[in-house]
Amino acid sequence: MRQLLDHTTEIEQAAKLLRNSLSAIAFTGAGLSTSSGIPDFRGPGKGLWERLEAAGADEVQAGTIQAFGRDPQAFYERMKPLFQKIIVAEPNEAHFALGELEAKGYIQAVITQNADMLHQRAGSKNVIEVHGSLAEATCIQCYRSKTFRPLLDQYLADGIMPRCRECGGAMKPNVILPGEQLSMQAMLAAKQAIRHADILLIAGTSLAGGPATTLIDTAYLQNSRLIIVNQTPTLMDASAEAVIYMDVAAALPAIADILREERKR
Ligand SMILES: [Zn+2]
């Protein structure tokens, strides 16, 4: 509890901002899922792209969409340890807190850089996945989509990369890889949500790289107020109304607790 007590003022400030907001949006990154056992290779708040970068230049090359096209089997083998962790991962307290805040009307949507679907499993309804999702996979030749999980289970059982039943092409999970275009639809939805937001609750991301920069710029231009929850400093701390240097799995439930207590009175 010591850590929590040290941050009481900031947590109360964050709860107050959410209580008084008309339209708040959460923006989440890899830090949300570290407590669910999905590794965050370069410290809190780093996503898939940064993980590939951290592994070295060769890995960036190997993790691009172009490399997938050349050798999808090698891609699957490299991603195997991560896939194995993702299939057993369960949502944690941070995901559940955001699900509760949305159900109670304190936030309107979650924009996430994660593809692990843990937000939806924790009750979030309006989830915008700017780095794609592991829910489905698409054939890189004929673009037919299939649910990814059965394909992944098969791969983890026999080690043979999933192929399209119709044309034999490689099935690529619908995660956006480096070198691949971001989903226009998801980015537009994210920008639209941010444009209407008066509060942006940024959690578990350092905001470095990826689409984060563009989206946060949008928020900045709209004069949205920022709440930041991350274990390490982020690029936007100086512009935020409340900054909580804590594990999201402790801080977000603490914010939800305050708002829940207020409702009871
Ligand atoms: Zn196909």
Side-chain angles (χ1 to χ4, degrees):
M1 283 306 277
R2 187 185 152 76
Q3 198 191 12
L4 199 60
L5 289 171
D6 287 346
H7 296 278
T8 305
T9 314
E10 291 92 337
I11 287 169
E12 281 173 355
Q13 169 72 356
K16 185 177 164 192
L17 286 162
L18 287 172
R19 185 200 311 125
N20 295 332
S21 85
L22 296 173
S23 176
I25 300 288
F27 182 87
T28 71
L32 249 282
S33 296
T34 44
S35 293
S36 294
I38 299 176
D40 189 357
F41 292 1
R42 221 176 60 175
K46 301 290 183 184
L48 176 65
W49 292 2
E50 291 86 351
R51 282 176 201 166
L52 289 168
E53 278 171 19
D58 289 349
E59 282 292 296
V60 177
Q61 287 308 314
T64 60
I65 182 64
Q66 290 82 4
F68 183 91
R70 279 196 299 274
D71 192 351
Q73 177 73 32
F75 171 89
Y76 271 90
E77 278 161 24
R78 200 175 36 261
M79 296 299 281
K80 192 174 176 183
L82 188 57
F83 283 149
Q84 282 168 325
K85 293 197 168 74
I86 286 172
I87 60 164
V88 296
E90 295 290 336
N92 64 58
E93 296 306 312
H95 296 107
F96 286 114
L98 289 180
E100 179 183 339
L101 290 176
E102 183 182 334
K104 291 182 175 165
Y106 289 110
I107 61 172
Q108 311 305 313
V110 178
I111 299 169
T112 186
Q113 297 174 276
N114 301 338
D116 53 32
M117 300 175 293
L118 294 180
H119 281 301
Q120 291 91 329
R121 289 175 55 197
S124 291
K125 303 276 185 244
N126 194 4
V127 181
I128 302 167
E129 296 162 308
V130 289
H131 275 180
S133 161
L134 288 168
E136 293 195 317
T138 301
C139 170
I140 60 168
Q141 286 180 21
C142 74
Y143 302 107
R144 283 187 177 88
S145 290
K146 290 272 150 56
T147 304
F148 184 50
R149 185 56 196 268
L151 301 175
L152 180 58
D153 286 344
Q154 171 249 301
Y155 167 69
L156 292 174
D158 65 16
I160 302 168
M161 152 203 87
R163 289 191 175 277
C164 173
R165 250 190 223 171
E166 280 78 13
C167 80
M171 296 298 289
K172 188 188 85 66
N174 289 0
V175 179
I176 312 278
L177 300 179
E180 195 173 9
Q181 287 236 322
L182 291 169
S183 155
M184 196 69 91
Q185 205 184 345
M187 283 299 280
L188 279 175
K191 283 189 179 177
Q192 185 113 348
I194 288 177
R195 211 164 278 148
H196 291 108
D198 54 0
I199 296 281
L200 201 59
L201 169 59
I202 295 165
T205 171
S206 65
L207 298 175
T213 321
T214 326
L215 292 172
I216 302 310
D217 279 352
T218 306
Y220 185 70
L221 292 172
Q222 296 300 311
N223 296 315
S224 306
R225 300 165 93 186
L226 306 182
I227 302 168
I228 297 177
V229 186
N230 202 46
Q231 272 184 326
T232 54
T234 80
L235 298 172
M236 295 300 288
D237 291 358
S239 313
E241 305 275 324
V243 182
I244 308 168
Y245 294 127
M246 255 178 93
D247 183 353
V248 290
L252 295 178
I255 294 170
D257 282 348
I258 293 173
L259 294 168
R260 196 185 306 125
E261 285 306 310
E262 283 175 359
R263 284 223 152 186
K264 277 185 195 159
R265 279 180 214 142

